[in-house]
């Protein structure tokens, strides 16, 4: 099987066929996130999520500007609503186990934040910190590909603009 190049999270498609929802927000000071990383609103400013985020605004559509002041720049964010399907590589701490399988579909997993490459992957080893549910294997890869891609949605209880508590 093939080894798939690891990439940032992207929007794969929407269920409705419409464009994905992108909202813009002011960027917090000193942010260095890249497009495809997870962000949240902190006091009204877009900030990079840490590991196992308890709240997710969405996926950055733009790179941060690393400006020293809050609100100097605005950044776009893909909002994880019920219509949007995202795509990301799978991750496992044992490289040989980082492969796509139809058994992933329908299961919830955590996310792995690769800070050295500014990317986030679906961590198929993390079944304790659920943040996403896998809907399908990406048709861009074959089952069994190392670091293959899956289609997923975020669990709504972690979505900042979707929760009620």
């Amino acid at each position: 099987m093939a080894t798939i190049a690891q990439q940032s999270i992207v929007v794969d498609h929407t269920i409705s066929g419409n464009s994905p929802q992108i909202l813009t927000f002011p960027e917090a000071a000193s942010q260095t996130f890249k497009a495809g990383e997870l962000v949240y609103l902190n006091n009204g400013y877009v900030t990079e999520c840490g590991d196992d985020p308890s709240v997710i605004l969405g996926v950055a559509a733009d790179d941060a500007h690393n400006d020293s002041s809050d609100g100097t720049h605005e950044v776009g964010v893909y909002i994880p609503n019920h219509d949007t399907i995202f795509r990301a590589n799978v991750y496992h701490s044992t490289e040989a186990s980082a492969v796509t399988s139809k058994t992933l579909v329908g299961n919830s997993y955590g996310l792995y934040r690769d800070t050295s490459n500014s990317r986030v992957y679906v961590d198929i080893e993390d079944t304790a910190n659920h943040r996403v549910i896998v809907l399908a294997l990406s048709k861009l890869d074959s089952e069994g590909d190392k670091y293959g891609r899956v289609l997923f949605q975020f669990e709504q209880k972690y979505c900042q603009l979707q929760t009620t508590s």
Side-chain angles (χ1 to χ4, degrees):
M1 293 292 161
T3 298
I4 306 303
Q6 294 170 304
Q7 304 164 0
S8 299
I9 293 175
V10 297
V11 172
D12 188 78
H13 66 281
T14 62
I15 295 167
S16 66
N18 293 326
S19 298
Q21 182 182 16
I22 299 176
L23 297 176
T24 57
F25 300 91
E27 180 184 318
S30 305
Q31 294 298 301
T32 58
F33 58 81
K34 299 292 183 191
E37 290 192 83
L38 301 179
V39 294
Y40 72 107
L41 282 179
N42 184 13
N43 294 319
Y45 297 100
V46 173
T47 306
E48 183 177 2
C49 288
D51 296 335
D52 303 323
S54 60
V55 65
I56 300 166
L57 174 64
V59 176
D62 303 311
D63 292 346
H65 298 86
N66 196 17
D67 197 283
S68 60
S69 301
D70 282 335
T72 303
H73 300 280
E74 292 214 345
V75 292
V77 178
Y78 291 107
I79 304 302
N81 55 37
H82 294 289
D83 190 43
T84 307
I85 309 297
F86 292 89
R87 182 177 67 234
N89 295 86
V90 299
Y91 171 85
H92 192 285
S93 63
T94 304
E95 188 175 332
S97 297
V99 294
T100 53
S101 167
K102 62 181 166 260
T103 61
L104 301 175
V105 176
N107 293 308
S108 294
Y109 297 100
L111 295 164
Y112 175 76
R113 196 169 71 116
D114 180 356
T115 56
S116 62
N117 291 308
S118 300
R119 295 187 187 124
V120 179
Y121 311 118
V122 174
D123 187 350
I124 60 174
E125 182 177 32
D126 185 355
T127 57
N129 299 300
H130 300 179
R131 298 298 182 271
V132 301
I133 184 165
V134 173
L135 303 174
L137 303 182
S138 172
K139 294 183 190 241
L140 299 173
D141 309 323
S142 298
E143 184 174 4
D145 281 350
K146 190 184 308 180
Y147 302 119
R149 292 162 285 192
V150 293
L151 305 183
F152 67 92
Q153 285 187 310
F154 288 89
E155 290 193 10
Q156 294 299 297
K157 66 183 175 182
Y158 296 104
C159 295
Q160 194 166 20
L161 299 182
Q162 304 293 318
T163 60
T164 58
S165 59

